């Protein structure tokens, strides 16, 4: 946690964020918005000036604020110069007033007003004088201020300081305001937790970016002028603003006024306030901040501009979610990273896409001394400012990395990484048209990065007043769901979308809802129910659905729920399958029955999440990994001369083959892992004959099974034995849409002849696929499936008989 | 072998195109001198405040040269456009040839299909790169430019995209985006492929079930009459699908690259129409049946 910045360093740090503090919505004309000297600087200048006065003049000045001591009877509380009309112009007089000069109001000499100061140290005198200057400034502020609430506070502080001068005490703000800190954890802790919580999986450089942004945000908040309670009431009509008024007053007394009024003890906004306060100011402040940066973008340093314009809006949106979200963990007093993420190994072994060329570098004054750059300039960078959290040395991170035996040397991987992230090797600017093999969610990810689309988890609440925008989005979601899911009664959709126990991940484009996933979390049961999921029809097939689900997965990993359950209707099954859902339910029935909404005719599907996977970046990471492997292969190839024709079996629909069966693989030095040795038949000829034998027997017996079943039941096509030949499209028009890897006994015979079955594994896999394809396409009680059952028993018997598998 | 020669042909065309673009620039700088001359002459005439026969003859000569220059530049530009069209044609031919070669039969299961999102991107790209009709002065836009229909005896070529009215599985009639495979002159029937390869359907359809899609965009600035006007009933490709639905024109395009904004007939909305959606000129055709279903 950063410590409060020492007073002296504030102006210079302030200068790094030129826009803070001046963009206030405030009505206060006393605001330091004027060019030239800031109010703070003017105040301290004036204080120095006053403190340099001769003692007589100092006394005169203090006399103005000191009660008359002439007997007990005099009630005069300050010496008034007989020659001047207003006490505030005193310093304009060159000559100090004589101690004998009489007060304009009580006619006692000045000496009677300052008698108590006779034996007071110069230091204390100077402290009092500081207060005098501050009182004078406050007096001006009270006069100029137009907002009643603010004026009242200024006036209170004015009186308080006067009393302190009178009584020679130190100012303490009294009353019902309480004393700082007002909330725990404070904003600063919350924001730091947020960075850790959201970005700790990023590579160091990017994580640093986020740390910089959070610091900038906190700094801005500390110098930001808040809206007045009346402005607040106008904006949020439902909230009467009582709480805000208290906070505003606290802020004026403890944070804002003390900034240029150092007689009052000063606290940083972000250290004494917490989530509640941030909730009331965030929306407006965020808008003003972004607007300010937008307007002043030309004044920013170029490298900072990229940082602010590209990352800051996203950063704020994500933060907003945590501020207004119901279950955000970042505000827990004892926040620690969830174990699954803190001990993450995943992020060291995966490569994040943004690492490299597009991460902006930082100006040194913001970077706080974390010298990442290799340039010699960095050696003269001053020590990190006190409070800056230093980042882990690179080698420490290396130490955590788990090494695999026989792994490729790190230097080689780094070298390859350099070539694939080299901007010069890139093909040009990103285009809106993607190649045919781009990942499904590539477009959506790009659009999110460019700010075209946004994702927000929102929900209705009965206890808190919902923000108007959130309510509008909920209505938008209700509309999208009811249009896209016409079979769901609209009332039902409305009820669930607005139910406070349900939340919805909303997809926003141009400020409008274009899709979303409504879900209900059951933390006690360890799963979440996906209730509705839709994207508006004219925005479909753009990868939004996939990206939505990936965001939802990341959201749940953060909240420690690792199972999704949903009842999918017939049209949705395909989508859910692509998102990693399966009909195979691992969550015990007892945990969800009675919790999840049961739909007739729908299929229950489940998705298990892996907390080590950054889902929204997954396809990108895999793409990068593929590129790396490709490069490594190319390197290896340049070392080994012999060229093999390459494999064709994958094109024929085989999913997996044993590594050792790839021609030439052994020559590269590849060795099979110890376990599976010895089982494989060494002689390929022998294997061929065994397999040929089995296949022939299966074919014969198939006919037998066929006729056998045929005597009892009738097939629609008596001559079409289901597994003998490829399924004809004319007979089953949708067969090839459902079955991705068709296989039949005829094809297997051809493959055998072509010497494709170099291992028994390949052969068994194809046989098994005949059975699974059949079961996938046909209903379980169909004749086809009955045949499959019989066939399965038969061929496993044959395999055992021939010693290919264990008995 | 044909593919290799197509490649070298394309490379050759690209070189020519490059040359043509350079020539345009040369032509432009060459005519600049003359244009400057015209301007100067006008200025001089203004200061002298009279139009002498000398100036008249001089100006006539200058303007004749300027016109010839402009025409020369124009012809090079048209030449360049033609080259682009030629390249596109070659690419298209190659695509069709590849498609024919890879044609599948019943016993040969189909290969993995293109991802839908990719198909949608390709369709958008095709709409974006549809050439703009640029006529010579006085030319009126030809058939298949913007809203102008094909002539009654027009026969779409293989590879052309059309809107085709097919019977769907459930027996409903539907207009789909399809590609012409062949036309049988004796039966007057088209053979078309559903553009959506997931459909894997080949349809044999009579002429009246086919509407060829526009082959040029109409320029709203010069040929507004070749665009559908507001409230015109059309068939438009619903965004992110491969089906045409009835729609009313909400606003015609304002600039050459703009899309139509249309209101689709949609009973799920209270007023019977969807909110305005954008559809490219390429995918908006006249709707023949005027009666509402």
């Amino acid at each position: 946690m950063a410590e409060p910045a020492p007073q002296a360093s504030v102006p210079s740090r302030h200068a790094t964020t030129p826009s803070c503090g001046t963009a206030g919505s405030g009505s206060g004309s006393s605001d330091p918005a004027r060019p030239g000297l800031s109010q703070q600087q003017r105040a301290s200048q004036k204080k120095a000036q006053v403190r340099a006065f001769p003692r007589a003049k100092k006394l005169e000045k203090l006399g103005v604020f000191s009660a008359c001591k002439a007997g007990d009877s005099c009630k005069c509380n300050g010496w008034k110069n007989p020659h001047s009309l207003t006490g505030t112009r005193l310093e304009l007089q060159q000559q100090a007033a004589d101690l004998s000069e009489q007060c304009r109001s009580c006619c006692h000499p000045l000496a009677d007003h300052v008698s108590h100061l006779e034996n007071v140290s110069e230091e204390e005198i100077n402290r009092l004088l500081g207060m005098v200057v501050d009182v004078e400034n406050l007096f001006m502020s009270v006069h100029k201020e137009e907002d009643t609430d603010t004026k009242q506070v200024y006036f209170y502080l004015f009186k308080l300081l006067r009393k302190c001068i009178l009584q020679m005490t130190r100012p303490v703000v009294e009353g019902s305001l309480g004393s700082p800190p007002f909330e725990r954890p404070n904003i600063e802790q919350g924001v730091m937790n947020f960075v850790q919580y959201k970005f700790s999986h990023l590579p160091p450089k990017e994580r640093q970016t986020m740390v910089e942004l959070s610091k900038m945000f906190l700094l801005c908040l500390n110098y930001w002028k808040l809206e007045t309670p009346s402005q607040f009431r106008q904006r949020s009509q439902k909230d009467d603003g009582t709480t805000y008024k208290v906070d505003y007053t606290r802020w004026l007394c403890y944070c804002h006024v003390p900034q240029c009024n150092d007689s009052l003890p000063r606290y940083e906004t972000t250290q004494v306030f917490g989530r509640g306060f941030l909730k009331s100011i965030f929306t407006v402040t965020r808008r003003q901040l972004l607007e300010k940066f937008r307007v002043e973008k030309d004044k920013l340093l170029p490298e900072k501009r990229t940082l602010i314009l590209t990352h800051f809006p996203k950063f704020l949106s994500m933060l907003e979610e945590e501020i207004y979200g119901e279950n955000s963990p970042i505000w827990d007093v004892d926040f620690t990273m969830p174990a699954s993420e803190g001990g993450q190994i995943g992020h060291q072994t995966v490569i994040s896409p943004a690492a490299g060329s597009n991460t902006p570098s930082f100006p040194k004054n913001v970077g706080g001394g974390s010298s990442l750059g290799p340039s010699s300039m960095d050696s003269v960078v001053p020590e990190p400012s006190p409070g800056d959290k230093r980042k882990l040395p690179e080698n420490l991170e290396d130490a955590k990395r788990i090494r695999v035996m026989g792994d490729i040397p790190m230097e080689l991987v780094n070298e390859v990484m350099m070539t694939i992230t080299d901007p010069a090797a890139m093909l040009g600017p990103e285009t809106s048209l993607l190649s045919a093999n781009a990942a499904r969610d590539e477009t959506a990810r790009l659009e999110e990065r460019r700010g075209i689309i946004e994702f927000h988890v929102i929900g209705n609440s009965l206890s808190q007043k919902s923000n108007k925008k959130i309510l509008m989005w909920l209505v938008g979601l209700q509309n999208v769901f009811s249009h896209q899911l016409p079979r769901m009664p609209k009332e039902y959709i409305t009820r669930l979308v607005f139910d406070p126990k349900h939340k919805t991940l909303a997809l926003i484009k141009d400020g409008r809802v274009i899709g979303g996933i409504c879900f209900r979390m059951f933390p006690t049961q360890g799963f979440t129910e996906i209730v509705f999921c839709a994207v508006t029809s004219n925005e479909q097939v753009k990868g939004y659905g996939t990206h939505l689900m990936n965001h939802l997965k990341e959201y749940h990993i953060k909240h420690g729920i690792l199972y999704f359950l949903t009842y999918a209707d017939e049209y949705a099954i395909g989508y859910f399958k692509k998102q990693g859902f399966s009909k195979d339910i691992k969550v015990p029935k007892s945990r969800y029955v009675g919790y999840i909404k049961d739909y007739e005719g729908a299929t229950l599907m489940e998705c298990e999440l892996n907390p080590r996977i950054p889902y929204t970046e997954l396809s990108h990471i895999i793409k990068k990994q593929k590129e790396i492997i490709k490069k490594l292969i190319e390197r290896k190839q340049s070392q080994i001369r012999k060229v093999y024709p390459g494999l064709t079996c994958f094109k024929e629909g085989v999913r997996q083959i044993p590594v050792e069966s790839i021609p030439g693989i052994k020559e590269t030095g590849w060795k099979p892992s110890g376990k599976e040795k010895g089982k494989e038949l060494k002689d390929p000829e022998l294997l061929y004959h065994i397999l040929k034998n089995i296949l022939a027997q299966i074919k014969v017996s198939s006919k037998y099974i066929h006729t056998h079943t045929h005597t009892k039941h009738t097939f629609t096509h008596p001559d079409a034995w289901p597994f003998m030949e490829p399924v004809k499209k004319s007979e089953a028009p949708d067969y090839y849409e459902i079955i991705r890897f068709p296989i039949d006994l005829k094809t297997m015979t051809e493959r055998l002849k072509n010497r494709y079955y170099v291992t028994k594994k390949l052969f068994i896999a194809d046989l098994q696929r005949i059975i699974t394809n059949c079961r996938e396409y046909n209903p379980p009680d169909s004749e086809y499936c009955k045949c499959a059952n019989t066939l399965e028993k038969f061929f496993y018997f044959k395999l055992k008989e021939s010693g290919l598998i264990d008995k | 072998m044909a593919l290799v020669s197509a490649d070298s042909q394309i490379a050759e065309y690209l070189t020519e195109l490059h040359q043509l673009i350079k020539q345009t620039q040369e032509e432009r700088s060459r005519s600049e001198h003359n244009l400057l001359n015209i301007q100067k002459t006008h200025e001089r005439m203004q200061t002298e405040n009279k139009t002498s026969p000398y100036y008249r003859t001089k100006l006539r000569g200058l303007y004749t040269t300027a016109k010839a220059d402009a025409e020369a530049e124009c012809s090079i530009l048209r030449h360049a456009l033609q080259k682009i069209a030629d390249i596109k044609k070659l690419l298209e031919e190659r695509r069709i040839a590849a498609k024919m070669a890879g044609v599948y039969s019943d016993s040969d299961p189909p290969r993995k299909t293109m991802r839908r999102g990719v198909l949608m991107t390709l369709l958008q790209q095709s709409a974006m790169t549809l050439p703009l009709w640029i006529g010579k002065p006085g030319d009126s836009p030809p058939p298949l430019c913007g809203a102008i229909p094909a002539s009654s005896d027009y026969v779409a070529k293989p590879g052309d995209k059309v809107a085709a009215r097919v019977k769907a599985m459930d027996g409903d009639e539907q207009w789909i985006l399809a590609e012409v495979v062949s036309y049988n002159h004796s039966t007057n029937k088209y053979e078309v492929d559903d553009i959506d390869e997931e459909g894997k359907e080949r349809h044999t359809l009579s002429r009246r079930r086919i509407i060829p899609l526009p082959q040029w965009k109409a320029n709203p600035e010069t040929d507004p009459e070749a665009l559908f006007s507001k409230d015109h009933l059309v068939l438009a490709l619903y965004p992110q699908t491969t089906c045409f639905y009835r729609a009313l024109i909400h606003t015609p395009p304002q600039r050459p690259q703009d899309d139509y904004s249309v209101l689709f007939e949609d009973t799920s909305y209270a007023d019977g129409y969807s909110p305005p959606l954008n559809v490219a000129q390429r995918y908006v055709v006249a709707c023949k049946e005027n009666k509402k279903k």
Side-chain angles (χ1 to χ4, degrees):
Chain A
M1 290 306 104
E3 287 175 13
Q7 283 287 319
S9 75
V10 167
S12 66
R13 286 186 62 189
H14 191 180
T16 66
T17 49
S19 44
C20 310
T22 59
S25 60
S27 54
S29 47
S30 61
D31 213 48
R34 256 172 287 168
L37 294 178
S38 73
Q39 197 177 359
Q40 184 191 354
Q41 283 167 309
R42 269 185 276 123
S44 53
Q45 227 175 45
K46 197 165 164 198
K47 278 173 195 166
Q49 196 189 335
V50 171
R51 280 166 186 158
F53 283 166
R55 185 155 173 117
K57 184 132 173 95
K58 283 184 183 175
L59 287 181
E60 180 197 329
K61 207 160 170 57
L62 283 173
V64 174
F65 294 92
S66 304
C68 180
K69 315 285 184 307
D72 294 334
S73 56
C74 188
K75 295 277 186 293
C76 176
N77 64 356
W79 182 77
K80 308 219 168 22
N81 191 320
H83 310 297
S84 168
L85 285 173
T86 58
T88 51
R89 290 218 194 112
L90 262 182
E91 69 274 11
L92 297 175
Q93 288 172 239
Q94 289 305 306
Q95 211 57 47
D98 193 87
L99 280 176
S100 62
E101 262 195 274
Q102 288 186 346
C103 171
R104 188 155 44 83
S105 102
C106 68
C107 302
H108 295 116
L110 174 59
D112 282 345
H113 284 266
V114 296
S115 57
H116 63 295
L117 295 168
E118 257 168 59
N119 298 316
V120 169
S121 68
E122 197 67 22
E123 200 185 328
E124 177 66 6
I125 294 279
N126 283 345
R127 186 182 76 84
L128 293 174
L129 279 169
M131 284 204 272
V132 168
V133 172
D134 287 340
V135 163
E136 284 168 2
N137 284 339
L138 272 172
F139 181 78
M140 295 304 286
S141 299
V142 171
H143 268 269
K144 286 184 204 157
E145 185 57 55
E146 282 159 7
D147 177 70
T148 7
D149 294 311
T150 317
K151 201 182 184 94
Q152 217 171 0
V153 178
Y154 283 166
F155 189 59
Y156 165 76
L157 291 172
F158 167 77
K159 283 194 296 184
L160 175 72
L161 283 185
R162 270 205 74 150
K163 201 175 95 194
C164 289
I165 302 171
L166 215 59
Q167 302 173 346
M168 293 173 61
T169 51
R170 290 182 182 273
V172 177
V173 179
E174 284 159 352
S176 57
L177 286 181
S179 56
F182 305 109
E183 284 179 86
R184 262 178 217 279
N186 61 33
I187 297 174
E188 192 171 299
Q189 282 157 352
V191 172
M192 288 303 174
N193 290 345
F194 164 74
V195 172
Q196 203 193 350
Y197 173 51
K198 285 271 184 180
F199 307 114
S200 60
H201 66 283
L202 294 179
K205 212 171 163 189
E206 281 173 79
R207 203 161 61 221
Q208 192 58 28
T209 309
M210 294 308 164
V211 172
E212 302 308 342
L213 283 175
S214 65
K215 282 186 189 157
M216 195 173 76
F217 174 71
L218 291 172
L219 192 60
C220 287
L221 268 193
N222 283 337
Y223 288 92
W224 206 256
K225 178 120 171 34
L226 302 182
E227 61 178 349
T228 61
S230 56
Q231 285 168 326
F232 179 83
R233 274 193 300 273
Q234 258 174 20
R235 180 168 61 84
S236 53
Q237 282 138 350
K238 279 183 249 155
D239 194 337
D240 64 356
T242 334
T243 325
Y244 182 72
K245 195 173 164 185
V246 173
D247 276 340
Y248 180 76
T249 312
R250 285 168 170 170
W251 171 78
L252 276 178
C253 294
Y254 288 102
C255 310
H256 184 64
V257 175
Q259 262 175 34
C260 41
N261 193 323
D262 61 12
S263 315
L264 292 165
R266 170 163 187 241
Y267 297 88
E268 296 284 3
T269 311
T270 54
Q271 281 170 350
V272 294
F273 291 104
R275 185 187 190 178
F277 179 72
L278 192 55
K279 265 187 182 172
S280 53
I281 63 162
F282 187 76
T283 330
V284 170
T285 315
R286 168 187 153 159
R287 202 186 55 227
Q288 291 168 347
L289 254 174
L290 290 178
E291 173 65 15
K292 187 80 186 165
F293 280 132
R294 201 183 56 74
V295 170
E296 296 193 348
K297 62 171 184 275
D298 297 331
K299 290 186 206 158
L300 299 171
L301 295 170
E303 43 307 359
K304 225 174 147 210
R305 198 181 310 158
T306 1
L307 172 69
I308 289 169
L309 296 181
T310 58
H311 295 274
F312 206 39
K314 178 83 197 300
F315 178 88
L316 290 178
S317 306
M318 288 174 82
L319 183 58
E320 183 182 31
E321 225 166 77
E322 299 305 319
I323 294 171
Y324 296 106
E326 272 169 50
N327 299 327
S328 175
I330 66 167
W331 303 103
D332 292 345
V333 178
D334 48 354
F335 170 86
T336 42
M337 278 302 281
S340 57
E341 294 212 355
Q344 200 179 47
I345 311 159
H347 77 259
Q348 279 130 15
T349 48
V350 296
I351 300 112
S352 177
S357 54
N358 56 356
T359 311
S361 52
F362 302 99
K364 301 274 154 30
N365 50 6
V366 176
S370 52
S371 35
L372 288 164
S375 84
S376 58
M377 287 284 284
D378 280 6
S379 54
V380 294
V381 168
E383 278 298 298
S385 53
D388 267 339
K389 203 168 140 189
R390 299 192 72 167
K391 118 188 190 342
L392 281 174
E394 301 272 299
N395 53 2
L396 224 160
E397 299 235 330
D398 273 345
K400 278 200 281 179
R401 200 170 275 147
I402 292 173
R403 302 292 302 167
V404 181
M405 280 294 286
D407 204 355
I408 296 150
M410 226 33 231
E411 303 78 59
L412 181 59
V413 174
N414 286 338
E415 206 181 310
V416 171
M417 282 293 291
M418 292 296 282
T419 59
I420 65 165
T421 51
D422 178 14
M426 271 171 35
L427 291 172
E430 289 171 318
T431 55
S432 58
L433 300 163
L434 295 153
S435 67
N437 51 15
R440 191 176 281 119
D441 54 345
E442 185 68 30
T443 329
R445 190 166 38 229
L446 273 176
E447 287 190 8
E448 189 191 5
R449 204 171 293 162
R450 291 175 187 164
I452 299 169
I453 54 170
E454 289 173 34
F455 294 84
H456 299 277
V457 174
I458 59 171
N460 197 8
S461 165
L462 297 179
S463 53
Q464 289 165 287
K465 288 187 178 95
S466 288
N467 165 323
K468 199 174 171 191
K469 185 168 82 175
I470 302 276
L471 288 174
M472 287 304 292
W473 283 352
L474 287 172
V475 173
L477 283 164
Q478 178 215 339
N479 279 333
V480 169
F481 289 142
S482 49
H483 261 117
Q484 298 309 126
L485 311 167
R487 289 198 291 187
M488 289 280 172
K490 190 161 184 171
E491 298 73 24
Y492 180 70
I493 292 173
T494 312
R495 186 159 69 89
L496 295 184
V497 168
F498 283 91
D499 172 49
K501 292 200 180 79
H502 286 72
K503 287 186 197 168
T504 307
L505 173 65
L507 167 59
I508 312 289
K509 189 175 192 175
D510 297 326
R512 283 180 40 243
V513 175
I514 59 161
I517 302 177
C518 179
F519 59 99
R520 173 153 181 197
M521 294 165 103
F522 292 100
T524 56
Q525 305 307 109
F527 79 93
T528 275
E529 177 189 0
I530 310 280
V531 183
F532 306 122
C533 172
V535 172
T536 198
S537 44
N538 59 310
E539 298 283 2
Q540 285 179 3
V541 219
K542 291 181 176 175
Y544 292 155
T546 299
H547 209 44
L548 265 170
M549 189 56 81
N550 284 339
H551 270 289
L552 195 69
K553 287 177 181 172
E554 290 191 345
Y555 179 84
H556 277 83
I557 288 170
K558 271 183 270 163
H559 290 84
I561 293 183
L562 299 180
Y563 287 94
F564 285 166
L565 286 177
T566 191
Y567 271 103
D569 68 19
E570 52 178 323
Y571 303 109
I573 291 175
Y575 164 78
F576 283 114
K577 271 190 181 167
K578 286 180 209 159
Q579 307 311 323
F581 284 68
S582 132
K583 292 176 191 170
D584 184 16
I585 311 298
K586 286 186 188 152
V587 176
K589 214 169 181 175
S590 58
R591 262 170 59 193
Y592 62 83
V593 168
Y595 291 90
I596 186 169
K597 291 175 272 294
D598 201 340
Y599 294 94
E600 213 171 294
T603 313
L604 185 63
M605 295 185 86
E606 181 196 87
C607 180
E608 184 183 352
L609 308 182
N610 183 337
R612 282 162 52 176
I613 297 176
Y615 283 96
T616 54
E617 295 294 344
L618 184 60
S619 62
H620 205 128
I621 291 165
I622 290 174
K623 195 174 144 203
K624 274 258 161 86
Q625 288 177 335
K626 275 187 186 163
E627 279 175 54
I628 294 171
I629 289 171
K630 217 173 102 195
K631 288 280 171 198
L632 289 171
I633 290 173
E634 278 170 19
R635 274 166 177 263
K636 201 82 187 177
Q637 272 174 345
S638 61
Q639 291 160 10
I640 298 172
R641 291 289 141 73
K642 193 157 163 59
V643 177
Y644 292 89
L647 296 172
T648 53
C649 56
F650 295 111
K651 281 187 188 135
E652 287 160 15
V654 179
R655 267 193 178 166
Q656 204 181 354
I657 60 161
V659 178
E660 58 268 36
S661 67
I662 302 169
I665 194 95
K666 285 194 178 132
E667 287 83 335
T668 63
W670 184 87
K671 284 184 195 73
S673 57
K675 288 177 201 166
E676 284 178 54
K677 271 185 209 162
K679 283 255 176 122
E680 204 57 64
L681 279 171
K682 292 282 180 308
D683 185 358
E685 260 327 279
L686 184 58
L687 180 69
Y688 173 78
H689 283 290
I690 291 174
L691 297 181
K692 193 178 163 190
N693 195 17
I694 294 175
L695 200 57
Q697 288 185 45
I698 289 172
K699 281 205 243 172
V700 171
S701 63
S702 296
K703 279 184 188 134
Y704 166 72
I705 298 167
H706 175 212
T707 43
H708 175 72
T709 40
H710 192 209
T711 53
K712 282 194 276 179
H713 312 282
T714 314
F715 277 105
T716 36
H717 304 285
D719 295 317
W721 166 246
F723 312 124
M724 287 308 263
E725 285 186 7
V727 175
K728 287 200 177 58
K729 229 187 138 188
S730 48
E731 287 165 14
D734 59 345
Y735 187 80
Y736 292 102
E737 281 167 35
I738 292 163
I739 303 301
R740 279 185 75 196
F741 300 111
I743 183 76
D744 59 279
L745 293 171
K746 191 181 164 200
T747 312
M748 281 189 74
T749 314
E750 277 161 20
R751 286 185 176 177
L752 184 69
K753 272 186 205 149
N754 296 334
R755 302 279 167 155
Y756 161 79
Y757 296 117
V758 289
T759 65
K760 65 179 185 191
K761 248 181 167 175
L762 287 171
F763 183 78
I764 296 170
D766 272 357
L767 269 181
Q768 187 57 51
R769 188 168 287 285
I770 293 184
I771 307 297
T772 46
N773 282 352
C774 177
R775 286 182 184 149
E776 192 172 348
Y777 186 76
N778 301 293
D781 53 351
S782 66
E783 291 308 322
Y784 289 106
C785 278
K786 283 178 188 159
C787 287
N789 293 344
T790 323
L791 179 68
E792 188 179 33
K793 274 186 210 134
F794 180 78
F795 80 64
Y796 273 103
F797 171 72
K798 281 289 154 197
L799 287 171
K800 281 178 195 164
E801 200 183 52
S802 53
L804 287 180
I805 55 170
D806 294 332
K807 285 182 189 174
Chain B
M1 281 322 279
L3 299 188
V4 177
S5 70
D7 262 345
S8 59
Q9 183 75 61
I10 288 169
E12 198 176 299
Y13 280 172
L14 280 172
T15 324
E16 286 174 36
L17 181 62
H18 184 233
Q19 287 299 327
L20 284 167
I21 291 167
K22 272 208 232 159
Q23 277 179 37
T24 322
Q25 190 47 43
E26 281 165 21
E27 202 67 39
R28 205 170 283 174
S29 15
R30 202 167 59 82
S31 58
E32 214 158 299
H33 170 73
N34 190 51
L35 292 174
L36 204 70
N37 231 337
I38 292 177
Q39 200 188 336
K40 276 186 187 155
T41 316
H42 275 289
E43 276 165 14
R44 217 171 301 152
M45 267 163 60
Q46 217 127 46
T47 47
E48 290 178 24
N49 208 5
K50 60 174 182 179
T51 318
S52 65
Y54 163 72
Y55 279 134
R56 216 173 280 169
T57 335
K58 186 180 176 190
L59 267 180
R60 189 172 291 139
L62 285 173
Y63 273 117
T64 316
T65 321
K67 193 168 166 241
D69 285 349
E71 272 161 5
E73 189 183 329
C74 183
S75 110
I76 294 174
L77 280 173
R78 281 185 195 285
H79 208 126
L81 282 175
Q82 185 55 48
K83 277 284 170 261
I84 296 173
D86 289 347
I87 293 168
K88 283 181 86 169
K89 197 172 147 222
L90 272 176
L91 289 173
E92 177 70 7
E93 277 167 11
R94 193 162 64 164
R95 189 185 64 84
I96 293 170
K99 196 181 148 190
M100 292 300 183
V103 101
Y104 48 83
S105 66
D106 209 9
S107 63
D108 183 16
R111 287 155 296 137
K112 218 176 126 189
T113 55
M114 192 190 285
R115 186 171 284 157
R116 266 189 85 85
V118 178
L119 175 65
M120 293 306 151
T121 319
L122 287 179
L123 294 183
Q124 285 169 29
Q125 190 178 20
S126 147
M128 221 158 64
T129 54
L130 187 70
L132 183 73
W133 166 257
I134 304 166
K136 291 190 174 122
D139 275 6
S140 52
L144 291 178
C145 167
I148 299 179
S151 58
S152 56
D153 56 348
Y154 177 82
V155 174
K157 294 180 293 299
D160 280 359
K161 305 288 187 291
V162 294
R165 191 173 177 185
V166 298
K167 249 199 185 76
M169 293 286 208
D170 53 8
D172 272 0
E173 300 266 304
Q174 205 173 20
W175 286 98
I176 62 162
L177 179 59
E179 187 176 311
V180 173
V181 179
S182 64
Y183 180 71
N184 187 328
H185 284 274
S186 52
T187 59
N188 280 341
K189 280 192 173 171
Y190 280 104
E191 224 190 345
V192 299
D193 270 346
D194 188 340
I195 197 78
D196 196 342
E197 284 187 82
E198 271 175 355
K200 292 274 163 280
E201 302 259 356
R202 184 158 289 183
H203 305 270
T204 308
L205 301 169
S206 69
R207 285 179 57 86
R208 58 182 178 81
R209 284 176 170 269
I210 296 290
I211 307 174
L213 298 190
Q215 294 186 343
W216 292 280
K217 276 185 275 206
N219 187 345
E221 284 151 0
T222 56
D223 307 303
E225 74 283 5
L227 289 167
F228 294 110
S229 47
K230 187 174 165 57
D231 295 332
H232 198 103
L233 181 69
V234 293
L235 283 174
L237 195 72
Y238 195 91
Q240 301 297 107
T241 72
T242 56
C243 289
F244 289 84
Y245 296 98
R246 290 154 60 92
L248 291 183
I249 299 290
H250 181 59
T251 35
Q254 303 300 310
R255 281 161 305 173
Q257 294 299 337
D258 285 357
D259 293 339
Y260 281 104
S261 165
V262 304
L263 309 169
F264 285 96
E265 286 183 4
D266 189 339
T267 49
S268 66
Y269 289 92
D271 62 352
Y273 290 98
S274 73
L277 293 171
N278 283 356
V279 182
Q281 278 200 44
R282 167 93 162 142
Y283 302 121
V284 178
V285 293
C287 180
K288 286 174 188 169
E289 352 130 45
N290 269 311
K291 57 173 196 319
K292 258 204 167 182
K293 270 179 243 169

